[in-house]
PDB file of all heavy atoms in Angstrom:
ATOM      1  N   CYS A   1       0.873  -1.153   0.002  1.00  0.00           N
ATOM      2  CA  CYS A   1      -0.005  -0.003   0.002  1.00  0.00           C
ATOM      3  C   CYS A   1       0.889   1.221  -0.015  1.00  0.00           C
ATOM      4  O   CYS A   1       1.560   1.494   1.012  1.00  0.00           O
ATOM      5  CB  CYS A   1      -0.882  -0.035   1.271  1.00  0.00           C
ATOM      6  SG  CYS A   1      -1.878   1.495   1.423  1.00  0.00           S
ATOM      7  N   ALA A   2       0.935   1.901  -1.148  1.00  0.00           N
ATOM      8  CA  ALA A   2       1.773   3.053  -1.250  1.00  0.00           C
ATOM      9  C   ALA A   2       1.001   4.337  -0.934  1.00  0.00           C
ATOM     10  O   ALA A   2      -0.172   4.515  -1.406  1.00  0.00           O
ATOM     11  CB  ALA A   2       2.326   3.144  -2.654  1.00  0.00           C
ATOM     12  N   ALA A   3       1.589   5.218  -0.154  1.00  0.00           N
ATOM     13  CA  ALA A   3       0.915   6.409   0.246  1.00  0.00           C
ATOM     14  C   ALA A   3       1.541   7.616  -0.392  1.00  0.00           C
ATOM     15  O   ALA A   3       2.670   7.664  -0.664  1.00  0.00           O
ATOM     16  CB  ALA A   3       1.008   6.503   1.754  1.00  0.00           C
ATOM     17  N   SER A   4       0.666   8.612  -0.602  1.00  0.00           N
ATOM     18  CA  SER A   4       1.183   9.875  -1.101  1.00  0.00           C
ATOM     19  C   SER A   4       1.471  10.789   0.060  1.00  0.00           C
ATOM     20  O   SER A   4       1.072  10.546   1.227  1.00  0.00           O
ATOM     21  CB  SER A   4       0.118  10.560  -1.994  1.00  0.00           C
ATOM     22  OG  SER A   4      -1.010  10.908  -1.196  1.00  0.00           O
ATOM     23  N   GLY A   5       2.196  11.849  -0.199  1.00  0.00           N
ATOM     24  CA  GLY A   5       2.422  12.806   0.876  1.00  0.00           C
ATOM     25  C   GLY A   5       3.675  12.470   1.708  1.00  0.00           C
ATOM     26  O   GLY A   5       4.134  11.364   1.760  1.00  0.00           O
ATOM     27  N   ARG A   6       4.123  13.531   2.413  1.00  0.00           N
ATOM     28  CA  ARG A   6       5.376  13.330   3.223  1.00  0.00           C
ATOM     29  C   ARG A   6       5.083  13.138   4.681  1.00  0.00           C
ATOM     30  O   ARG A   6       5.961  13.158   5.496  1.00  0.00           O
ATOM     31  CB  ARG A   6       6.226  14.582   3.039  1.00  0.00           C
ATOM     32  CG  ARG A   6       6.812  14.725   1.649  1.00  0.00           C
ATOM     33  CD  ARG A   6       7.638  15.954   1.533  1.00  0.00           C
ATOM     34  NE  ARG A   6       6.801  17.155   1.485  1.00  0.00           N
ATOM     35  CZ  ARG A   6       7.294  18.384   1.365  1.00  0.00           C
ATOM     36  NH1 ARG A   6       8.622  18.536   1.316  1.00  0.00           N
ATOM     37  NH2 ARG A   6       6.544  19.430   1.349  1.00  0.00           N
ATOM     38  N   THR A   7       3.781  12.916   5.036  1.00  0.00           N
ATOM     39  CA  THR A   7       3.425  12.749   6.466  1.00  0.00           C
ATOM     40  C   THR A   7       3.053  11.292   6.773  1.00  0.00           C
ATOM     41  O   THR A   7       2.364  10.995   7.756  1.00  0.00           O
ATOM     42  CB  THR A   7       2.228  13.691   6.791  1.00  0.00           C
ATOM     43  OG1 THR A   7       1.131  13.362   5.967  1.00  0.00           O
ATOM     44  CG2 THR A   7       2.673  15.106   6.668  1.00  0.00           C
ATOM     45  N   PHE A   8       3.445  10.370   5.949  1.00  0.00           N
ATOM     46  CA  PHE A   8       3.066   8.981   6.104  1.00  0.00           C
ATOM     47  C   PHE A   8       3.456   8.464   7.479  1.00  0.00           C
ATOM     48  O   PHE A   8       2.697   7.708   8.079  1.00  0.00           O
ATOM     49  CB  PHE A   8       3.854   8.130   5.061  1.00  0.00           C
ATOM     50  CG  PHE A   8       3.552   6.657   5.206  1.00  0.00           C
ATOM     51  CD1 PHE A   8       2.351   6.101   4.855  1.00  0.00           C
ATOM     52  CD2 PHE A   8       4.559   5.830   5.661  1.00  0.00           C
ATOM     53  CE1 PHE A   8       2.100   4.731   4.945  1.00  0.00           C
ATOM     54  CE2 PHE A   8       4.350   4.476   5.757  1.00  0.00           C
ATOM     55  CZ  PHE A   8       3.120   3.940   5.448  1.00  0.00           C
ATOM     56  N   SER A   9       4.588   8.897   8.004  1.00  0.00           N
ATOM     57  CA  SER A   9       5.053   8.350   9.288  1.00  0.00           C
ATOM     58  C   SER A   9       4.188   8.827  10.485  1.00  0.00           C
ATOM     59  O   SER A   9       4.306   8.365  11.582  1.00  0.00           O
ATOM     60  CB  SER A   9       6.450   8.773   9.550  1.00  0.00           C
ATOM     61  OG  SER A   9       6.608  10.223   9.558  1.00  0.00           O
ATOM     62  N   SER A  10       3.285   9.742  10.274  1.00  0.00           N
ATOM     63  CA  SER A  10       2.385  10.217  11.315  1.00  0.00           C
ATOM     64  C   SER A  10       1.083   9.386  11.395  1.00  0.00           C
ATOM     65  O   SER A  10       0.274   9.599  12.290  1.00  0.00           O
ATOM     66  CB  SER A  10       2.039  11.705  11.132  1.00  0.00           C
ATOM     67  OG  SER A  10       1.261  11.883   9.951  1.00  0.00           O
ATOM     68  N   TYR A  11       0.875   8.455  10.466  1.00  0.00           N
ATOM     69  CA  TYR A  11      -0.343   7.698  10.405  1.00  0.00           C
ATOM     70  C   TYR A  11      -0.167   6.295  10.914  1.00  0.00           C
ATOM     71  O   TYR A  11       0.837   5.659  10.646  1.00  0.00           O
ATOM     72  CB  TYR A  11      -0.839   7.591   8.946  1.00  0.00           C
ATOM     73  CG  TYR A  11      -1.294   8.873   8.354  1.00  0.00           C
ATOM     74  CD1 TYR A  11      -0.474   9.642   7.503  1.00  0.00           C
ATOM     75  CD2 TYR A  11      -2.607   9.405   8.619  1.00  0.00           C
ATOM     76  CE1 TYR A  11      -0.875  10.854   6.971  1.00  0.00           C
ATOM     77  CE2 TYR A  11      -3.003  10.565   8.069  1.00  0.00           C
ATOM     78  CZ  TYR A  11      -2.168  11.291   7.229  1.00  0.00           C
ATOM     79  OH  TYR A  11      -2.579  12.496   6.725  1.00  0.00           O
ATOM     80  N   ALA A  12      -1.165   5.881  11.671  1.00  0.00           N
ATOM     81  CA  ALA A  12      -1.323   4.457  11.996  1.00  0.00           C
ATOM     82  C   ALA A  12      -2.052   3.814  10.762  1.00  0.00           C
ATOM     83  O   ALA A  12      -2.867   4.467  10.151  1.00  0.00           O
ATOM     84  CB  ALA A  12      -2.137   4.208  13.269  1.00  0.00           C
ATOM     85  N   MET A  13      -1.636   2.578  10.439  1.00  0.00           N
ATOM     86  CA  MET A  13      -2.153   1.940   9.241  1.00  0.00           C
ATOM     87  C   MET A  13      -2.827   0.602   9.613  1.00  0.00           C
ATOM     88  O   MET A  13      -2.504  -0.045  10.565  1.00  0.00           O
ATOM     89  CB  MET A  13      -0.958   1.698   8.275  1.00  0.00           C
ATOM     90  CG  MET A  13      -0.182   2.882   7.872  1.00  0.00           C
ATOM     91  SD  MET A  13      -1.144   4.085   6.932  1.00  0.00           S
ATOM     92  CE  MET A  13      -1.500   3.131   5.495  1.00  0.00           C
ATOM     93  N   GLY A  14      -3.763   0.250   8.712  1.00  0.00           N
ATOM     94  CA  GLY A  14      -4.434  -1.012   8.900  1.00  0.00           C
ATOM     95  C   GLY A  14      -4.773  -1.635   7.581  1.00  0.00           C
ATOM     96  O   GLY A  14      -4.801  -1.017   6.537  1.00  0.00           O
ATOM     97  N   TRP A  15      -4.959  -2.987   7.640  1.00  0.00           N
ATOM     98  CA  TRP A  15      -5.454  -3.736   6.504  1.00  0.00           C
ATOM     99  C   TRP A  15      -6.799  -4.310   6.882  1.00  0.00           C
ATOM    100  O   TRP A  15      -6.964  -4.885   7.986  1.00  0.00           O
ATOM    101  CB  TRP A  15      -4.511  -4.873   6.101  1.00  0.00           C
ATOM    102  CG  TRP A  15      -3.279  -4.405   5.381  1.00  0.00           C
ATOM    103  CD1 TRP A  15      -2.024  -4.216   5.893  1.00  0.00           C
ATOM    104  CD2 TRP A  15      -3.173  -4.200   3.977  1.00  0.00           C
ATOM    105  NE1 TRP A  15      -1.167  -3.844   4.925  1.00  0.00           N
ATOM    106  CE2 TRP A  15      -1.829  -3.821   3.687  1.00  0.00           C
ATOM    107  CE3 TRP A  15      -4.063  -4.252   2.884  1.00  0.00           C
ATOM    108  CZ2 TRP A  15      -1.385  -3.486   2.446  1.00  0.00           C
ATOM    109  CZ3 TRP A  15      -3.580  -3.939   1.640  1.00  0.00           C
ATOM    110  CH2 TRP A  15      -2.249  -3.602   1.388  1.00  0.00           C
ATOM    111  N   PHE A  16      -7.780  -4.231   5.916  1.00  0.00           N
ATOM    112  CA  PHE A  16      -9.029  -4.855   6.102  1.00  0.00           C
ATOM    113  C   PHE A  16      -9.402  -5.631   4.834  1.00  0.00           C
ATOM    114  O   PHE A  16      -8.707  -5.496   3.815  1.00  0.00           O
ATOM    115  CB  PHE A  16     -10.128  -3.706   6.305  1.00  0.00           C
ATOM    116  CG  PHE A  16     -10.026  -2.991   7.605  1.00  0.00           C
ATOM    117  CD1 PHE A  16      -9.019  -2.027   7.800  1.00  0.00           C
ATOM    118  CD2 PHE A  16     -10.906  -3.249   8.640  1.00  0.00           C
ATOM    119  CE1 PHE A  16      -8.927  -1.371   9.015  1.00  0.00           C
ATOM    120  CE2 PHE A  16     -10.807  -2.569   9.833  1.00  0.00           C
ATOM    121  CZ  PHE A  16      -9.847  -1.674  10.027  1.00  0.00           C
ATOM    122  N   ARG A  17     -10.425  -6.451   4.949  1.00  0.00           N
ATOM    123  CA  ARG A  17     -10.844  -7.228   3.764  1.00  0.00           C
ATOM    124  C   ARG A  17     -12.364  -7.343   3.791  1.00  0.00           C
ATOM    125  O   ARG A  17     -13.018  -7.278   4.775  1.00  0.00           O
ATOM    126  CB  ARG A  17     -10.168  -8.606   3.732  1.00  0.00           C
ATOM    127  CG  ARG A  17     -10.550  -9.554   4.812  1.00  0.00           C
ATOM    128  CD  ARG A  17      -9.729 -10.789   4.789  1.00  0.00           C
ATOM    129  NE  ARG A  17     -10.133 -11.739   5.828  1.00  0.00           N
ATOM    130  CZ  ARG A  17      -9.458 -12.869   6.097  1.00  0.00           C
ATOM    131  NH1 ARG A  17      -8.325 -13.176   5.430  1.00  0.00           N
ATOM    132  NH2 ARG A  17      -9.818 -13.666   7.035  1.00  0.00           N
ATOM    133  N   GLN A  18     -12.867  -7.529   2.555  1.00  0.00           N
ATOM    134  CA  GLN A  18     -14.296  -7.684   2.403  1.00  0.00           C
ATOM    135  C   GLN A  18     -14.583  -8.770   1.337  1.00  0.00           C
ATOM    136  O   GLN A  18     -14.185  -8.541   0.171  1.00  0.00           O
ATOM    137  CB  GLN A  18     -14.973  -6.396   2.026  1.00  0.00           C
ATOM    138  CG  GLN A  18     -16.459  -6.456   2.037  1.00  0.00           C
ATOM    139  CD  GLN A  18     -17.063  -5.045   1.983  1.00  0.00           C
ATOM    140  OE1 GLN A  18     -16.446  -4.040   1.659  1.00  0.00           O
ATOM    141  NE2 GLN A  18     -18.377  -4.935   2.354  1.00  0.00           N
ATOM    142  N   ALA A  19     -15.258  -9.809   1.752  1.00  0.00           N
ATOM    143  CA  ALA A  19     -15.669 -10.864   0.826  1.00  0.00           C
ATOM    144  C   ALA A  19     -17.084 -10.537   0.343  1.00  0.00           C
ATOM    145  O   ALA A  19     -17.838  -9.836   0.994  1.00  0.00           O
ATOM    146  CB  ALA A  19     -15.596 -12.215   1.528  1.00  0.00           C
ATOM    147  N   PRO A  20     -17.449 -11.090  -0.802  1.00  0.00           N
ATOM    148  CA  PRO A  20     -18.792 -10.842  -1.333  1.00  0.00           C
ATOM    149  C   PRO A  20     -19.863 -11.201  -0.337  1.00  0.00           C
ATOM    150  O   PRO A  20     -19.827 -12.297   0.214  1.00  0.00           O
ATOM    151  CB  PRO A  20     -18.887 -11.686  -2.560  1.00  0.00           C
ATOM    152  CG  PRO A  20     -17.448 -11.855  -3.018  1.00  0.00           C
ATOM    153  CD  PRO A  20     -16.662 -11.887  -1.754  1.00  0.00           C
ATOM    154  N   GLY A  21     -20.811 -10.240  -0.130  1.00  0.00           N
ATOM    155  CA  GLY A  21     -21.909 -10.528   0.758  1.00  0.00           C
ATOM    156  C   GLY A  21     -21.609 -10.440   2.225  1.00  0.00           C
ATOM    157  O   GLY A  21     -22.430 -10.690   3.062  1.00  0.00           O
ATOM    158  N   LYS A  22     -20.378 -10.062   2.542  1.00  0.00           N
ATOM    159  CA  LYS A  22     -19.939  -9.910   3.984  1.00  0.00           C
ATOM    160  C   LYS A  22     -19.521  -8.485   4.292  1.00  0.00           C
ATOM    161  O   LYS A  22     -19.211  -7.738   3.389  1.00  0.00           O
ATOM    162  CB  LYS A  22     -18.849 -10.861   4.278  1.00  0.00           C
ATOM    163  CG  LYS A  22     -19.226 -12.338   4.141  1.00  0.00           C
ATOM    164  CD  LYS A  22     -18.144 -13.284   4.620  1.00  0.00           C
ATOM    165  CE  LYS A  22     -18.534 -14.765   4.577  1.00  0.00           C
ATOM    166  NZ  LYS A  22     -17.485 -15.631   5.105  1.00  0.00           N
ATOM    167  N   GLU A  23     -19.499  -8.190   5.576  1.00  0.00           N
ATOM    168  CA  GLU A  23     -19.028  -6.884   5.988  1.00  0.00           C
ATOM    169  C   GLU A  23     -17.522  -6.795   5.932  1.00  0.00           C
ATOM    170  O   GLU A  23     -16.805  -7.793   5.942  1.00  0.00           O
ATOM    171  CB  GLU A  23     -19.500  -6.618   7.418  1.00  0.00           C
ATOM    172  CG  GLU A  23     -21.001  -6.441   7.524  1.00  0.00           C
ATOM    173  CD  GLU A  23     -21.438  -5.994   8.897  1.00  0.00           C
ATOM    174  OE1 GLU A  23     -20.534  -5.908   9.854  1.00  0.00           O
ATOM    175  OE2 GLU A  23     -22.571  -5.633   9.064  1.00  0.00           O
ATOM    176  N   ARG A  24     -17.023  -5.570   5.814  1.00  0.00           N
ATOM    177  CA  ARG A  24     -15.573  -5.383   5.856  1.00  0.00           C
ATOM    178  C   ARG A  24     -15.024  -5.808   7.248  1.00  0.00           C
ATOM    179  O   ARG A  24     -15.642  -5.392   8.229  1.00  0.00           O
ATOM    180  CB  ARG A  24     -15.249  -3.930   5.515  1.00  0.00           C
ATOM    181  CG  ARG A  24     -13.810  -3.693   5.198  1.00  0.00           C
ATOM    182  CD  ARG A  24     -13.588  -2.276   4.684  1.00  0.00           C
ATOM    183  NE  ARG A  24     -14.311  -2.074   3.442  1.00  0.00           N
ATOM    184  CZ  ARG A  24     -14.145  -1.015   2.651  1.00  0.00           C
ATOM    185  NH1 ARG A  24     -13.309  -0.029   3.006  1.00  0.00           N
ATOM    186  NH2 ARG A  24     -14.849  -0.864   1.535  1.00  0.00           N
ATOM    187  N   GLU A  25     -13.947  -6.553   7.259  1.00  0.00           N
ATOM    188  CA  GLU A  25     -13.427  -6.994   8.532  1.00  0.00           C
ATOM    189  C   GLU A  25     -11.984  -6.630   8.715  1.00  0.00           C
ATOM    190  O   GLU A  25     -11.231  -6.539   7.738  1.00  0.00           O
ATOM    191  CB  GLU A  25     -13.598  -8.528   8.665  1.00  0.00           C
ATOM    192  CG  GLU A  25     -12.777  -9.340   7.703  1.00  0.00           C
ATOM    193  CD  GLU A  25     -12.944 -10.852   7.999  1.00  0.00           C
ATOM    194  OE1 GLU A  25     -13.656 -11.268   8.905  1.00  0.00           O
ATOM    195  OE2 GLU A  25     -12.214 -11.610   7.293  1.00  0.00           O
ATOM    196  N   PHE A  26     -11.587  -6.499   9.955  1.00  0.00           N
ATOM    197  CA  PHE A  26     -10.211  -6.160  10.321  1.00  0.00           C
ATOM    198  C   PHE A  26      -9.323  -7.344   9.974  1.00  0.00           C
ATOM    199  O   PHE A  26      -9.665  -8.504  10.264  1.00  0.00           O
ATOM    200  CB  PHE A  26     -10.199  -5.802  11.805  1.00  0.00           C
ATOM    201  CG  PHE A  26      -8.782  -5.664  12.369  1.00  0.00           C
ATOM    202  CD1 PHE A  26      -7.999  -4.548  12.096  1.00  0.00           C
ATOM    203  CD2 PHE A  26      -8.275  -6.659  13.145  1.00  0.00           C
ATOM    204  CE1 PHE A  26      -6.768  -4.460  12.606  1.00  0.00           C
ATOM    205  CE2 PHE A  26      -7.016  -6.611  13.700  1.00  0.00           C
ATOM    206  CZ  PHE A  26      -6.231  -5.448  13.386  1.00  0.00           C
ATOM    207  N   VAL A  27      -8.107  -7.017   9.505  1.00  0.00           N
ATOM    208  CA  VAL A  27      -7.100  -8.063   9.250  1.00  0.00           C
ATOM    209  C   VAL A  27      -5.871  -7.798  10.167  1.00  0.00           C
ATOM    210  O   VAL A  27      -5.438  -8.675  10.892  1.00  0.00           O
ATOM    211  CB  VAL A  27      -6.693  -8.092   7.763  1.00  0.00           C
ATOM    212  CG1 VAL A  27      -5.553  -9.058   7.587  1.00  0.00           C
ATOM    213  CG2 VAL A  27      -7.875  -8.433   6.892  1.00  0.00           C
ATOM    214  N   ALA A  28      -5.269  -6.616  10.052  1.00  0.00           N
ATOM    215  CA  ALA A  28      -4.070  -6.336  10.793  1.00  0.00           C
ATOM    216  C   ALA A  28      -3.856  -4.826  10.888  1.00  0.00           C
ATOM    217  O   ALA A  28      -4.423  -4.051  10.081  1.00  0.00           O
ATOM    218  CB  ALA A  28      -2.835  -6.909  10.082  1.00  0.00           C
ATOM    219  N   ALA A  29      -3.096  -4.388  11.863  1.00  0.00           N
ATOM    220  CA  ALA A  29      -2.847  -2.966  12.029  1.00  0.00           C
ATOM    221  C   ALA A  29      -1.466  -2.778  12.604  1.00  0.00           C
ATOM    222  O   ALA A  29      -0.882  -3.649  13.277  1.00  0.00           O
ATOM    223  CB  ALA A  29      -3.896  -2.320  12.980  1.00  0.00           C
ATOM    224  N   ILE A  30      -0.911  -1.555  12.326  1.00  0.00           N
ATOM    225  CA  ILE A  30       0.444  -1.309  12.785  1.00  0.00           C
ATOM    226  C   ILE A  30       0.473   0.201  13.221  1.00  0.00           C
ATOM    227  O   ILE A  30      -0.137   1.060  12.629  1.00  0.00           O
ATOM    228  CB  ILE A  30       1.473  -1.564  11.663  1.00  0.00           C
ATOM    229  CG1 ILE A  30       2.907  -1.409  12.144  1.00  0.00           C
ATOM    230  CG2 ILE A  30       1.224  -0.670  10.399  1.00  0.00           C
ATOM    231  CD1 ILE A  30       3.942  -1.986  11.180  1.00  0.00           C
ATOM    232  N   SER A  31       1.226   0.468  14.275  1.00  0.00           N
ATOM    233  CA  SER A  31       1.343   1.793  14.781  1.00  0.00           C
ATOM    234  C   SER A  31       2.192   2.680  13.875  1.00  0.00           C
ATOM    235  O   SER A  31       2.872   2.195  12.998  1.00  0.00           O
ATOM    236  CB  SER A  31       1.961   1.781  16.196  1.00  0.00           C
ATOM    237  OG  SER A  31       3.256   1.218  16.179  1.00  0.00           O
ATOM    238  N   ARG A  32       2.186   3.957  14.092  1.00  0.00           N
ATOM    239  CA  ARG A  32       2.893   4.877  13.172  1.00  0.00           C
ATOM    240  C   ARG A  32       4.416   4.636  13.235  1.00  0.00           C
ATOM    241  O   ARG A  32       5.084   4.879  12.281  1.00  0.00           O
ATOM    242  CB  ARG A  32       2.531   6.302  13.411  1.00  0.00           C
ATOM    243  CG  ARG A  32       2.826   6.867  14.766  1.00  0.00           C
ATOM    244  CD  ARG A  32       2.290   8.272  14.875  1.00  0.00           C
ATOM    245  NE  ARG A  32       2.458   8.905  16.125  1.00  0.00           N
ATOM    246  CZ  ARG A  32       1.838   9.989  16.529  1.00  0.00           C
ATOM    247  NH1 ARG A  32       1.046  10.656  15.716  1.00  0.00           N
ATOM    248  NH2 ARG A  32       2.070  10.480  17.742  1.00  0.00           N
ATOM    249  N   SER A  33       4.859   4.209  14.406  1.00  0.00           N
ATOM    250  CA  SER A  33       6.323   3.957  14.548  1.00  0.00           C
ATOM    251  C   SER A  33       6.678   2.535  14.030  1.00  0.00           C
ATOM    252  O   SER A  33       7.839   2.276  13.798  1.00  0.00           O
ATOM    253  CB  SER A  33       6.768   4.074  15.998  1.00  0.00           C
ATOM    254  OG  SER A  33       6.118   3.035  16.772  1.00  0.00           O
ATOM    255  N   GLY A  34       5.688   1.671  13.875  1.00  0.00           N
ATOM    256  CA  GLY A  34       5.917   0.292  13.470  1.00  0.00           C
ATOM    257  C   GLY A  34       6.192  -0.584  14.679  1.00  0.00           C
ATOM    258  O   GLY A  34       6.344  -1.808  14.495  1.00  0.00           O
ATOM    259  N   GLY A  35       6.245  -0.073  15.868  1.00  0.00           N
ATOM    260  CA  GLY A  35       6.604  -0.837  16.991  1.00  0.00           C
ATOM    261  C   GLY A  35       5.487  -1.727  17.561  1.00  0.00           C
ATOM    262  O   GLY A  35       5.734  -2.632  18.346  1.00  0.00           O
ATOM    263  N   THR A  36       4.283  -1.418  17.222  1.00  0.00           N
ATOM    264  CA  THR A  36       3.125  -2.190  17.687  1.00  0.00           C
ATOM    265  C   THR A  36       2.333  -2.717  16.529  1.00  0.00           C
ATOM    266  O   THR A  36       2.058  -1.984  15.578  1.00  0.00           O
ATOM    267  CB  THR A  36       2.170  -1.305  18.530  1.00  0.00           C
ATOM    268  OG1 THR A  36       2.905  -0.750  19.615  1.00  0.00           O
ATOM    269  CG2 THR A  36       1.043  -2.125  19.070  1.00  0.00           C
ATOM    270  N   THR A  37       2.026  -4.039  16.563  1.00  0.00           N
ATOM    271  CA  THR A  37       1.233  -4.586  15.528  1.00  0.00           C
ATOM    272  C   THR A  37       0.153  -5.475  16.185  1.00  0.00           C
ATOM    273  O   THR A  37       0.330  -5.963  17.326  1.00  0.00           O
ATOM    274  CB  THR A  37       2.049  -5.532  14.585  1.00  0.00           C
ATOM    275  OG1 THR A  37       2.703  -6.529  15.328  1.00  0.00           O
ATOM    276  CG2 THR A  37       3.072  -4.721  13.795  1.00  0.00           C
ATOM    277  N   THR A  38      -0.971  -5.766  15.467  1.00  0.00           N
ATOM    278  CA  THR A  38      -1.990  -6.578  15.978  1.00  0.00           C
ATOM    279  C   THR A  38      -2.689  -7.234  14.844  1.00  0.00           C
ATOM    280  O   THR A  38      -2.718  -6.688  13.696  1.00  0.00           O
ATOM    281  CB  THR A  38      -2.950  -5.796  16.846  1.00  0.00           C
ATOM    282  OG1 THR A  38      -3.897  -6.676  17.504  1.00  0.00           O
ATOM    283  CG2 THR A  38      -3.715  -4.800  16.048  1.00  0.00           C
ATOM    284  N   TYR A  39      -3.244  -8.387  15.027  1.00  0.00           N
ATOM    285  CA  TYR A  39      -3.833  -9.190  13.990  1.00  0.00           C
ATOM    286  C   TYR A  39      -5.198  -9.790  14.430  1.00  0.00           C
ATOM    287  O   TYR A  39      -5.444 -10.049  15.602  1.00  0.00           O
ATOM    288  CB  TYR A  39      -2.922 -10.388  13.666  1.00  0.00           C
ATOM    289  CG  TYR A  39      -1.562  -9.902  13.167  1.00  0.00           C
ATOM    290  CD1 TYR A  39      -0.543  -9.765  14.096  1.00  0.00           C
ATOM    291  CD2 TYR A  39      -1.336  -9.733  11.839  1.00  0.00           C
ATOM    292  CE1 TYR A  39       0.739  -9.341  13.649  1.00  0.00           C
ATOM    293  CE2 TYR A  39      -0.082  -9.309  11.383  1.00  0.00           C
ATOM    294  CZ  TYR A  39       0.915  -9.126  12.295  1.00  0.00           C
ATOM    295  OH  TYR A  39       2.183  -8.710  11.878  1.00  0.00           O
ATOM    296  N   ALA A  40      -6.051 -10.005  13.395  1.00  0.00           N
ATOM    297  CA  ALA A  40      -7.257 -10.799  13.651  1.00  0.00           C
ATOM    298  C   ALA A  40      -6.837 -12.239  13.959  1.00  0.00           C
ATOM    299  O   ALA A  40      -5.892 -12.749  13.419  1.00  0.00           O
ATOM    300  CB  ALA A  40      -8.134 -10.776  12.395  1.00  0.00           C
ATOM    301  N   ASP A  41      -7.611 -12.920  14.800  1.00  0.00           N
ATOM    302  CA  ASP A  41      -7.315 -14.264  15.158  1.00  0.00           C
ATOM    303  C   ASP A  41      -7.215 -15.188  13.925  1.00  0.00           C
ATOM    304  O   ASP A  41      -6.438 -16.122  13.873  1.00  0.00           O
ATOM    305  CB  ASP A  41      -8.374 -14.809  16.100  1.00  0.00           C
ATOM    306  CG  ASP A  41      -8.259 -14.191  17.493  1.00  0.00           C
ATOM    307  OD1 ASP A  41      -7.175 -13.624  17.828  1.00  0.00           O
ATOM    308  OD2 ASP A  41      -9.235 -14.319  18.253  1.00  0.00           O
ATOM    309  N   SER A  42      -8.018 -14.877  12.921  1.00  0.00           N
ATOM    310  CA  SER A  42      -8.072 -15.763  11.701  1.00  0.00           C
ATOM    311  C   SER A  42      -6.851 -15.727  10.885  1.00  0.00           C
ATOM    312  O   SER A  42      -6.624 -16.616  10.080  1.00  0.00           O
ATOM    313  CB  SER A  42      -9.305 -15.382  10.843  1.00  0.00           C
ATOM    314  OG  SER A  42      -9.153 -14.022  10.431  1.00  0.00           O
ATOM    315  N   VAL A  43      -5.992 -14.710  11.106  1.00  0.00           N
ATOM    316  CA  VAL A  43      -4.743 -14.609  10.242  1.00  0.00           C
ATOM    317  C   VAL A  43      -3.479 -14.631  11.093  1.00  0.00           C
ATOM    318  O   VAL A  43      -2.391 -14.704  10.549  1.00  0.00           O
ATOM    319  CB  VAL A  43      -4.758 -13.303   9.423  1.00  0.00           C
ATOM    320  CG1 VAL A  43      -6.030 -13.209   8.629  1.00  0.00           C
ATOM    321  CG2 VAL A  43      -4.563 -12.072  10.267  1.00  0.00           C
ATOM    322  N   LYS A  44      -3.674 -14.677  12.400  1.00  0.00           N
ATOM    323  CA  LYS A  44      -2.480 -14.678  13.330  1.00  0.00           C
ATOM    324  C   LYS A  44      -1.628 -15.862  13.032  1.00  0.00           C
ATOM    325  O   LYS A  44      -2.086 -16.985  12.918  1.00  0.00           O
ATOM    326  CB  LYS A  44      -2.954 -14.698  14.745  1.00  0.00           C
ATOM    327  CG  LYS A  44      -1.976 -14.187  15.775  1.00  0.00           C
ATOM    328  CD  LYS A  44      -2.593 -14.013  17.131  1.00  0.00           C
ATOM    329  CE  LYS A  44      -3.681 -12.959  17.152  1.00  0.00           C
ATOM    330  NZ  LYS A  44      -4.280 -12.754  18.488  1.00  0.00           N
TER     331      LYS A  44
END
């Protein structure tokens, strides 16, 4: 996931997914420093 702008390091980022007929669900997230990550149980 490529970001525009020079303030990328100030953002916390996440990945989500959506299958047909289902709601968008959380997959993984990372803090702006990269030091903290977390995952959905289904992908851990």
Side-chain angles (χ1 to χ4, degrees):
C1 173
S4 65
R6 292 180 287 180
T7 59
F8 176 74
S9 61
S10 67
Y11 292 98
M13 302 296 295
W15 284 97
F16 291 77
R17 66 188 182 187
Q18 188 167 17
K22 295 188 177 182
E23 292 188 352
R24 193 170 298 189
E25 66 173 5
F26 170 75
V27 175
I30 189 166
S31 61
R32 62 186 176 192
S33 68
T36 304
T37 59
T38 188
Y39 300 90
D41 288 343
S42 59
V43 307
K44 201 171 294 183

